[in-house]
Amino acid sequence: MAVGIFMPKLGMSMKEGTVVEWLKKKGDKVKKGESIAVISSDKIETDIEAPQDGVLLDILVEQDETVEVGKVIGYIGQEGEKPDDQSNETPQETPKQAMQEVAASVGTIEPNRTSRHMLRVSPAARKLAREAGIDLSHIKGSGPKGRITKADVEKAIQLKQASLQPVHEKQTIAETTEITAERKDVTVKPVTGMRKVIATRMFASLQQTAQLTIHMKADVTELLELQEKLREELQDEPDIKLTITDFIARATILALCIHKRMNSLYQNGHIHTYDSVHLGIAVALENGLVVPVIPYAEKLSLKEISKKIKELSVRAREGKLSSEEMKGSTFTITSLGAYGVEFFTPVLNPPEVGILGVGTAADVPVFIGDAIHKRKILPLSLTFDHQVIDGAPASQFLTTIKNYLENPYKILL
């Protein structure tokens, strides 16, 4: 019996997912548990596994297409079976609703399937055309064997927009179309998956909050000396390698326990202040940024924080974080120190009201009395929501972090 492959729900807030890539082609044999497709949503990419042995009978959702959670994206069954003769239950729906959903989906797609396959169209071009309401049958493909490319669809979109513009704007659009057609060094890529989620959230962050950033410098010379001493003492524990990030995280947690207003979320006109610190640590990936969370971080020692940061960072870079591991943060730390950046303006991760940006520590000549000494100075940048926190308490919070970093033995108490 043919079985539907559904877009899974990876987290409570997930409403839709994007098919990043099909790992199998229509007609390929598959085994239960074998990865057949890659999907993404809410900054996570994960594999979908085959629910049973059989053949990939049909693919209903092409690469780069986005559909709601619970929608059928393909079928697996025995060779020769017809998926439209079967009924399947989608997650979180009754059998009757599921049968109506699948029947409606198949009924909509099947009549056009023959004409669709007569056209040679790239997945990206097909998706772009559908979003723009462009009829692919009216486009002459410029790709190999007449394949319609993304550039062909983009040109059609520009021509369509030009026909709807006032006369005085048409010349500009025509010139742009001509230039784009002539240039071969331009790559146009739709914003999808993780990048789309980041773009949406960052734009919303700046639109919905009153962000202000203040800066401060911390002398971490003694902290780095302490770090080296502790590394020597912890040589028998190879899984522990304390970094400056670990000390900054611990100092921030202690400061949040003192300045609890900074450990808040601003939602629907209400300020939710937390007693426990759920610390987000931003991790840069090749195609974006994720923020895994250390829950109840105030209960952890410096060594435990270090282990947790490294564990989450490795899992993030391997794409193994679950959506639940990236939820519930009350404050975030982000660092650009590895890239030589000093001060910068971190963007809030709503509904949090604060985020700490860490730059690169540099050697700076500093007067101590009348003598000049070489000291390691660490730039700190705190962005906060002025709707919730004023400048004075935000400065006091940042000063507390600075004091912990400049008196590092207090971090160990």
Side-chain angles (χ1 to χ4, degrees):
M1 178 177 178
V3 172
I5 308 164
F6 300 99
M7 177 61 68
K9 187 177 183 69
L10 304 178
M12 293 297 294
S13 63
M14 179 175 172
K15 296 181 180 179
E16 62 180 18
T18 300
V19 176
V20 176
E21 179 184 7
W22 280 98
L23 305 177
K24 296 291 183 178
K25 300 188 297 293
K26 182 178 177 181
D28 284 355
K29 292 183 178 180
V30 298
K31 291 188 175 294
K32 183 177 180 180
E34 182 179 8
S35 295
I36 55 176
V38 180
I39 64 105
S40 71
S41 180
D42 198 21
K43 298 167 55 170
I44 300 175
E45 287 190 2
T46 188
D47 290 1
I48 293 182
E49 298 178 351
Q52 66 176 28
D53 292 347
V55 172
L56 184 55
L57 298 175
D58 204 357
I59 292 175
L60 301 183
V61 180
E62 301 288 351
Q63 178 177 313
D64 290 331
E65 287 189 35
T66 299
V67 295
E68 295 177 359
V69 166
K71 292 288 187 180
V72 181
I73 64 173
Y75 287 95
I76 290 178
Q78 300 307 310
E79 194 167 355
E81 280 189 306
K82 294 183 178 180
D84 53 331
D85 290 338
Q86 309 296 332
S87 62
N88 294 275
E89 296 183 21
T90 59
Q92 303 175 337
E93 292 181 328
T94 64
K96 181 177 179 181
Q97 289 173 321
M99 288 188 287
Q100 291 173 345
E101 185 80 47
V102 174
S105 176
V106 173
T108 301
I109 295 174
E110 288 299 328
N112 296 324
R113 190 168 296 279
T114 301
S115 60
R116 282 178 64 183
H117 283 286
M118 289 175 64
L119 291 172
R120 299 179 65 84
V121 188
S122 72
R126 192 183 300 280
K127 180 186 178 187
L128 187 60
R130 184 180 63 254
E131 293 175 347
I134 300 295
D135 188 348
L136 291 171
S137 63
H138 295 160
I139 298 178
K140 183 178 180 181
S142 62
K145 297 183 180 180
R147 190 183 196 208
I148 298 174
T149 67
K150 184 169 53 179
D152 296 327
V153 177
E154 289 166 352
K155 186 174 181 179
I157 292 172
Q158 290 174 337
L159 293 173
K160 179 180 178 181
Q161 291 174 339
S163 66
L164 300 175
Q165 297 298 319
V167 175
H168 67 276
E169 296 182 8
K170 288 187 177 181
Q171 182 62 35
T172 302
I173 294 175
E175 291 173 356
T176 302
T177 302
E178 184 178 347
I179 293 172
T180 303
E182 292 177 354
R183 294 289 295 270
K184 302 299 182 183
D185 59 344
V186 178
T187 300
V188 180
K189 183 179 180 181
V191 180
T192 60
M194 182 185 295
R195 188 74 260 159
K196 182 177 181 180
V197 173
I198 293 174
T200 301
R201 289 186 174 179
M202 292 299 96
F203 181 76
S205 173
L206 294 171
Q207 292 291 312
Q208 298 169 7
T209 58
Q211 300 192 26
L212 179 64
T213 302
I214 56 177
H215 308 285
M216 197 171 286
K217 299 176 182 178
D219 186 338
V220 294
T221 308
E222 293 180 11
L223 186 149
L224 294 176
E225 293 173 355
L226 175 62
Q227 178 190 14
E228 287 301 317
K229 290 180 181 179
L230 291 176
R231 280 186 173 182
E232 292 176 5
E233 294 179 8
L234 296 171
Q235 285 182 351
D236 295 335
E237 300 182 58
D239 58 331
I240 299 295
K241 187 177 180 181
L242 297 176
T243 68
I244 191 169
T245 299
D246 302 332
F247 286 93
I248 294 169
R250 177 64 176 160
T252 301
I253 293 164
L254 293 173
L256 287 168
C257 291
I258 297 171
H259 305 275
K260 293 190 176 182
R261 190 63 173 268
M262 189 63 71
N263 191 45
S264 299
L265 305 182
Y266 185 51
Q267 295 175 300
N268 302 318
H270 294 79
I271 301 170
H272 304 257
T273 301
Y274 288 75
D275 292 328
S276 295
V277 177
H278 307 292
L279 186 67
I281 301 290
V283 179
L285 306 180
E286 184 178 350
N287 58 337
L289 184 79
V290 294
V291 184
V293 180
I294 303 175
Y296 301 99
E298 78 283 356
K299 298 181 179 180
L300 304 180
S301 66
L302 179 62
K303 290 200 302 184
E304 290 170 330
I305 291 170
S306 179
K307 281 185 177 180
K308 197 66 177 177
I309 290 175
K310 289 175 182 60
E311 174 193 336
L312 291 172
S313 297
V314 170
R315 284 167 50 77
R317 295 187 178 99
E318 292 176 349
K320 295 181 179 179
L321 288 176
S322 70
S323 60
E324 297 303 316
E325 290 177 299
M326 294 187 285
K327 289 182 179 179
S329 56
T330 55
F331 189 89
T332 294
I333 296 175
T334 183
S335 175
L336 292 177
Y339 305 97
V341 174
E342 295 183 348
F343 293 108
F344 62 101
T345 305
V347 179
L348 286 175
N349 183 23
E352 296 172 21
V353 300
I355 181 171
L356 178 68
V358 181
T360 185
D363 291 325
V364 176
V366 176
F367 273 104
I368 299 180
D370 293 331
I372 296 178
H373 297 262
K374 184 175 74 172
R375 308 290 289 182
K376 280 285 188 182
I377 304 300
L378 180 72
L380 300 173
S381 303
L382 175 68
T383 296
F384 60 95
D385 190 346
H386 217 317
Q387 297 176 107
V388 179
I389 305 289
D390 292 327
S395 299
Q396 291 168 357
F397 167 72
L398 191 55
T399 298
T400 300
I401 295 177
K402 168 186 167 75
N403 289 338
Y404 275 118
L405 296 177
E406 293 184 343
N407 301 277
Y409 285 96
K410 291 183 178 180
I411 295 176
L412 304 180
L413 299 178

